[in-house]
Amino acid sequence: MAPQPSTRKRKAITHDALEADEVLLSDGGADFESDLLDGILSQSEDETDDDGLTRDDLEDDSSEDESIEEDEVDIASDEIPTDEENSVEGGIKATDQTSRQVDNLDELPTNYTVTEDANGNPRYIYQAIEPIYDSDDSDAPETTNTIGNIPLSFYDSYPHIGYDINGKKIARPAKGEALDALLDSIDVPQGWTGLTDPSTGKPLELSQHELEILKRIQMNEVPDEGFDPYPATVEYFTGKTEVMPLSAAPEPKRRFVPSKHEAKRVMKIVRAIREGRILPYKPPSEDEEEEDLGIKRYDIWANEAPRPDHPMNIPAPKVPPPGYAESYHPPREFLPDRSEREAWEEADEEDRDKDFLPTNHDSLRKVPGYEKFLKEKFERCLDLYLAPRVRRIKLNVDPESLLPKLPDPEDLRPFPTTCATVFRGHEGRVRSLAVDPSGLWMASGGDDGTVRIWNLRTARQEWCVKLGGNDVVNVVRWRPGTDATVLAAAAGEEVFLIVPPITSDPEVENISRNIVDAGWGYAANGVSNGAAKKEPAAKWARPGSRLEEDGVLVKVGLRKTVKVISWHRRGEYFATVSPQGQTGAVAIHTLSKHLTQLPFRRLKGLPQSAQFHPSKPIFFVATQRMIRSYDLSKQELLKILQPGARWISSFDLHPGGDNLIAGSYDKRLLWHDLDLSVRPYKTLRYHSKAIRAVKFHQGGWPLFADASDDGSLQIFHGKVVADLMENATIVPLKVLRGHRVKKELGVLDIDWHPREPWCVSAGADGTCRLWI
């Protein structure tokens, strides 16, 4: 039998292992903490104790040393020598053995390289696995730390946090003061979160897409970028436009104040209780509960079968069971004799005790049919028809009764109804007109660039002047007051102050000229400042000798085209509006000083019109969608009215100052109660096209009117009372038609007579009309 090869390995000598440990500590001891070194030293001592050999073991193995040394040369190539063997045999022997093993492995394909470590021992470094396209790990994220699921807290006492695929230590990222100094020296990178990646220990960085998702979640939005939280509204209501919808009016005043009517009714009830006319409820006494024996009461539902409860369940009464008299073969005592039969037949149906006479039959088959069968069925059906068991309450309301009761227009006269005079003479459209405070003259301006003055009663043209150039006259307005006749007209970017020679009194004409020319002396005395001046908002100058001979005394040059002129009630100031002027769109001019001021540095919206309050230092400015009121004395914003119109065309103030009407290009006339709300009190829709102008009567008549591009004027009755408990009364009175529509333009301007209930209108057909 062949001897078995010895598989017992050679034990390492204790002092050699300690020397190896000392070498290891001398090379890498600076990288470890003190407690870690203690652990290594204790571990080496334990291993030395466990692996130490006794004297007897050495003697027993002495005979085998030579055979083992000879067999070491034949060690298989796949066996890797241990550190203990290398320590015993020495560095030279281990190197020779390793070289022989490497030579044998060169014949096979290897995926590693062999190097020497710090102690001179061989070290195997395996190549990184490169997954092919079909590999399951092709889409897997790259793993830098190979510690697996071991928590990083286990490495808190070490300077590294794990090992990479090649077995190299992964150093712990910088922390503390070093990291703070680094962050202070550089900018925060994009995607920085301040968090730490648990797998690598490095700062966690997010992509732009992930940052956008987190931002949407923080703002309580849907993370999906394509989600639309506000889809388009599907219109499912009717498109029919009502003339005056009932829901357009705001909340009435009676809902905000206690009801006087309810207070009167409550006091009436309290007074009746005090006088004893209304007594509290008292339970009935025992005497009243005693039933009258002469009255018979029947419980018709006594034997009814139980049914489920229902408020509308009214079961029909049951028929009592038949008696002996109703039998087809009743006893003799129930059969009537001859006299009883005759008495029953002669009696009325209502006075009879029974509805039938008992009859005797020998058998049931001899009983004839019931004579009153059809009659009873008809009466039963009639009862069901007239008294149904399901009670239905039907409410019949007349829609006309829901509309407010308006007075008859015939009771609200006088108001203009017919066209009395037609003024012809302009070439092209007549854009503006105005009646002077005396009520004798009417001024008009149009596309031909002329200003004409007419006699209101005779329709005769008294005076005409062409302001020069090809600019159209957009607006003409008279100065308030009868002490002077001053007319302001705007043509292009210039405003002209005119004293027309129409009055027969020379004193009035001299006063008018003095009022206009008073500003020249103030301007001459005011130029005494040597400091640098800003560019003036407007330039006041003489218009020229030709125009001065015709009565045009002053020309005010602005930056943009003037569309609106509005006078102050005292005639000292007037405001102009240039919608395209931006910061200089609204300007206030002082007539006695020839000065122009721009009250707004920046105005929100595109201004459309401006007016002074009739009695207070308040200035109103209308933009496309809002009407703002400013206190001129305090220089602050008072209120912002919201008419709800898309584009406001014009507005006017009531002589009382508490109400305002506004017209819009979207065919609506809006009435505002300034003391009630910033929303419209009434919205009137009577025109099929845009509303160009609106005007209150300033002479005491409760009238106002509007002019539209459909060629018509609408006259309204607008009564305003001083009592805050009563709302304004608005009644449509008359539709005036006469102007022809040209190029989608109808009536462009309207004005009232200062004393009479007359109105004048200017149309795109080149005519002016007087309505009385």
Side-chain angles (χ1 to χ4, degrees), residues 234-278:
V234 179
E235 298 293 340
Y236 55 91
F237 290 102
T238 178
K240 182 181 177 181
T241 303
E242 298 291 340
V243 178
M244 285 185 61
L246 299 179
S247 61
E251 297 292 336
K253 291 184 179 179
R254 61 176 177 270
R255 297 189 182 177
F256 303 94
V257 297
S259 175
K260 293 185 177 180
H261 178 68
E262 292 180 359
K264 291 180 180 179
R265 296 192 63 181
V266 171
M267 290 306 300
K268 185 177 180 180
I269 296 173
V270 171
R271 195 178 299 108
I273 293 175
R274 291 175 179 174
E275 294 176 0
R277 291 184 283 107
I278 297 179

Side-chain angles (χ1 to χ4, degrees), residues 394-443:
K394 185 177 180 181
L395 183 62
N396 296 323
V397 178
D398 185 12
E400 299 296 334
S401 63
L402 300 177
L403 297 176
K405 301 299 181 182
L406 299 178
D408 189 4
E410 297 296 331
D411 299 337
L412 302 177
R413 287 183 179 274
F415 54 85
T417 56
T418 58
C419 178
T421 309
V422 178
F423 303 87
R424 303 180 187 272
H426 280 280
E427 298 177 1
R429 304 186 187 99
V430 182
R431 293 186 175 270
S432 178
L433 54 75
V435 181
D436 77 316
S438 64
L440 300 176
W441 316 100
M442 181 188 72

Side-chain angles (χ1 to χ4, degrees), residues 353-423:
D353 297 338
K354 298 179 181 180
D355 296 336
F356 64 94
L357 282 176
T359 306
N360 187 16
H361 300 281
D362 296 340
S363 60
L364 186 59
R365 65 177 180 271
K366 294 182 179 180
V367 176
Y370 185 49
E371 298 177 356
K372 300 181 179 180
F373 176 77
L374 295 178
K375 184 179 180 181
E376 287 188 357
K377 290 294 182 183
F378 173 75
E379 292 178 352
R380 176 61 178 165
C381 293
L382 190 63
D383 292 341
L384 294 176
Y385 170 71
L386 296 178
R389 298 184 182 183
V390 178
R391 297 182 179 91
R392 295 179 181 178
I393 301 175
K394 185 177 180 181
L395 183 62
N396 296 323
V397 178
D398 185 12
E400 299 296 334
S401 63
L402 300 177
L403 297 176
K405 301 299 181 182
L406 299 178
D408 189 4
E410 297 296 331
D411 299 337
L412 302 177
R413 287 183 179 274
F415 54 85
T417 56
T418 58
C419 178
T421 309
V422 178
F423 303 87

Side-chain angles (χ1 to χ4, degrees), residues 142-188:
E142 182 180 359
T143 304
T144 57
N145 198 345
T146 59
I147 62 174
N149 296 329
I150 298 177
L152 290 178
S153 59
F154 288 7
Y155 289 86
D156 291 341
S157 60
Y158 294 90
H160 59 281
I161 60 172
Y163 303 88
D164 59 3
I165 190 66
N166 296 324
K168 295 182 180 180
K169 297 178 182 179
I170 300 175
R172 185 182 302 277
K175 293 183 179 179
E177 297 179 356
L179 183 59
D180 295 339
L182 180 61
L183 292 177
D184 294 337
S185 61
I186 62 175
D187 296 332
V188 177

Side-chain angles (χ1 to χ4, degrees), residues 121 138 159 207 333 335 346 360 365 439 444 476 488 498 536 559 599 619 658 668 737:
N121 297 327
S138 60
S207 63
E333 58 269 19
L335 295 174
E346 292 178 358
N360 187 16
R365 65 177 180 271
S444 63
V476 292
I498 307 170
R559 300 172 183 175
F619 189 58
D658 294 335
R668 287 188 290 180
R737 302 182 186 275

